[in-house]
């Protein structure tokens, strides 16, 4: 599991002021809350006294978090600021210390936590469309999937599963045959890996064609693993030769992928589409936004993916005993994603001390 990275713990609207949220992120227990001033804090979720879960406590008038077991109190930085059973000076409390704080950043409508050791090396990835009022942004989730976060990354890079897994909605047999261009970041800066699929004169399935009002047309789809916890998809569709003109329609789809542990993760999908100007050519007056329609149609799609990931995960419980996966040309992006994630994980592993 990769920890030296940013993981989303919610969209801004999910963290209301004054509520404690307990969660496990990348194998670490956390408690997070938004204070009265609007700032989000995240601390180790275990009380330093006897490990009681701090999320079961409460926030006091002065903004401190009181543990529900013996009443140790902590400020937003994790410092212990009060102990009912101890007549202590501030200096004494300072010596006692506190719980570990986690760096949080709220940016573009997303709350991010750095789960790594030490200081965050960079800023969280940008998701400008989510917070931009000229875009509609629709959230699906959060959904806990009983499968490794890696399996979702692999699923998102692998469109050859659209038939048969999504054959009843967005999938067509022809999706599997579209050529894939793959580009890996040369220096490790985001996006870490991206793919591009180009279709010309393509006959879309009814669902996807309906979103864009195009039965046969051109399409460019990009899929990027920005960082391990964020995936960005851009779908652009137009009638033949219409890409780059006013006839083009598009949406941006973010997936936040937040590992809980090695065998489960929290998944959010946020579809964003540019708000249509009233009266503009092609505007769908009175209809829900493209983002809302895509989100509604993809509830079933997401359930199908979740089913597949959880079934797949169950098979990892068995020893390999000579079993080995067979890969085909269209798995190239998935294999590259695996390699990148393996490399990031290996970098975090402690170097064994020399023998002797
Ligand atoms: S466990 Fe939290 S105060 Fe004792
Ligand atoms: Fe899928």
């Amino acid at each position: 599991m990769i920890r030296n990275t940013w993981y989303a713990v919610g969209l801004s609207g999910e963290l209301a002021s004054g509520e404690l949220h307990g969660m496990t992120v990348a194998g670490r227990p956390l408690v997070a809350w938004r204070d009265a001033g609007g700032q989000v804090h995240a601390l180790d979720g275990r009380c330093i006294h006897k490990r009681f879960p701090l999320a079961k406590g409460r926030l006091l008038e002065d903004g401190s978090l009181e543990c529900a077991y013996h009443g140790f109190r902590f400020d937003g930085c994790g410092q212990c600021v009060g102990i009912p059973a101890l007549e202590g000076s501030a200096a004494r409390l300072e010596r006692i210390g506190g719980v570990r704080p986690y760096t949080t950043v709220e940016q573009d409508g997303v709350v991010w936590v750095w789960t790594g050791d030490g200081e965050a090396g960079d800023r969280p990835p940008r998701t400008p469309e989510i917070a931009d009022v000229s875009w509609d942004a629709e959230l699906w989730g959060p959904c806990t999937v009983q499968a490794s976060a890696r399996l979702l990354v692999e699923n998102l890079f692998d469109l050859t599963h659209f038939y048969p897994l999504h054959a009843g909605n967005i999938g067509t047999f022809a999706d599997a045959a579209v050529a894939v261009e793959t580009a890996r970041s040369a220096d490790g800066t985001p996006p870490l890996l991206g793919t591009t699929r180009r279709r010309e004169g393509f006959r879309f399935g009814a669902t996807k064609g309906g979103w864009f009002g195009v039965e046969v047309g051109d399409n460019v789809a990009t899929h990027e693993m920005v960082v391990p916890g964020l995936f960005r998809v851009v779908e652009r569709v137009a009638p033949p030769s219409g890409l780059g003109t006013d006839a083009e329609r598009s949406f941006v789809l973010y997936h936040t992928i937040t590992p809980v542990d090695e065998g489960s993760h929290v998944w959010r999908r946020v579809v964003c589409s540019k708000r249509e100007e009233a009266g503009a050519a092609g505007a769908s007056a009175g209809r829900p936004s493209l983002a809302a329609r895509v989100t509604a149609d993809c509830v079933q799609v997401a359930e199908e993916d979740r089913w597949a990931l959880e079934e797949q995960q169950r098979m990892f419980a068995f020893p390999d005993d000579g079993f080995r996966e067979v890969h085909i040309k269209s798995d190239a992006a998935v294999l590259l994603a695996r390699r990148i994630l393996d490399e990031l994980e290996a970098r975090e592993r402690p170097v064994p001390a020399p023998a002797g």
Side-chain angles (χ1 to χ4, degrees):
M1 207 161 16
I2 296 159
R3 289 200 172 102
N4 289 338
T5 190
W6 294 96
Y7 289 118
V9 295
L11 296 199
S12 292
E14 292 177 62
L15 279 95
S17 171
E19 288 172 6
L20 293 173
H21 297 266
M23 58 189 84
T24 305
V25 181
R28 295 192 157 148
L30 259 67
V31 59
W33 75 95
R34 184 187 296 282
D35 67 23
Q39 198 189 333
V40 178
H41 305 271
L43 304 178
D44 189 314
R46 296 162 294 188
C47 178
I48 48 161
H49 183 215
K50 291 187 179 161
R51 297 175 192 247
F52 196 79
L54 288 173
K56 304 288 183 198
R58 62 180 182 139
L59 290 168
L60 303 180
E61 284 278 305
D62 66 359
S64 63
L65 192 174
E66 181 188 67
C67 177
Y69 205 176
H70 312 91
F72 279 38
R73 289 191 289 112
F74 305 92
D75 67 15
C77 300
Q79 172 64 43
C80 183
V81 292
I83 300 176
L86 181 73
E87 291 289 321
S89 63
R92 178 80 204 278
L93 290 172
E94 207 165 306
R95 279 201 302 280
I96 284 174
V99 289
R100 175 191 167 174
Y102 283 88
T103 304
T104 61
V105 172
E106 187 165 14
Q107 174 181 276
D108 301 328
V110 182
V111 178
W112 298 94
V113 169
W114 172 266
T115 52
D117 295 314
E119 286 297 303
D122 51 11
R123 296 279 300 175
R126 302 300 307 263
T127 54
E129 300 85 355
I130 293 179
D132 187 332
V133 291
S134 64
W135 288 71
D136 280 305
E138 295 282 335
L139 167 68
W140 173 88
C143 170
T144 300
V145 183
Q146 298 301 325
S148 148
R150 275 177 174 243
L151 290 184
L152 178 55
V153 171
E154 293 188 12
N155 168 290
L156 296 173
F157 269 129
D158 162 25
L159 301 198
T160 62
H161 77 268
F162 275 36
Y163 177 87
L165 189 65
H166 304 309
N169 39 66
I170 59 168
T172 66
F173 202 80
D175 285 308
V178 177
V180 184
E181 299 157 35
T182 306
R184 178 181 179 173
S185 168
D187 57 2
T189 54
L192 299 175
L193 180 64
T195 60
T196 304
R197 290 172 177 79
R198 299 173 204 277
R199 302 164 165 103
E200 282 181 7
F202 188 81
R203 179 166 295 280
F204 297 102
T207 304
K208 193 164 173 182
W211 295 340
F212 297 104
V214 174
E215 256 179 70
V216 175
D218 298 348
N219 173 214
V220 176
T222 55
H223 291 69
E224 293 176 336
M225 175 170 64
V226 182
V227 293
L230 182 72
F231 205 95
R232 184 176 195 265
V233 180
V234 181
E235 283 276 6
R236 299 167 52 211
V237 170
S241 307
L243 287 174
T245 73
D246 286 351
E248 177 183 316
R249 295 285 173 272
S250 65
F251 65 78
V252 176
L253 163 57
Y254 288 104
H255 299 264
T256 68
I257 307 163
T258 306
V260 174
D261 53 29
E262 296 287 2
S264 64
H265 66 273
V266 176
W267 180 21
R268 291 174 178 81
R269 297 165 45 105
V270 189
V271 184
C272 308
S273 63
K274 194 97 176 114
R275 276 183 207 268
E276 292 171 336
E277 312 242 340
S284 46
R287 272 206 304 169
S289 68
L290 177 58
R293 285 181 282 129
V294 171
T295 300
D297 286 345
C298 285
V299 171
Q300 175 70 19
V301 176
E303 282 304 324
E304 289 162 354
D305 282 319
R306 175 157 77 145
W307 172 77
L309 299 184
E310 293 184 345
E311 291 294 332
Q312 195 184 2
Q313 180 70 42
R314 274 192 264 283
M315 293 296 124
F316 283 88
F318 299 98
D320 281 0
D321 288 339
F323 170 86
R324 132 183 130 74
E325 291 185 12
V326 168
H327 301 122
I328 54 176
K329 191 170 166 222
S330 56
D331 293 318
V334 168
L335 296 178
L336 201 42
R338 277 189 192 178
R339 196 185 312 159
I340 292 168
L341 295 173
D342 283 345
E343 287 171 8
L344 290 173
E345 265 189 26
R347 235 184 272 166
E348 294 183 15
R349 240 172 262 141
V351 181

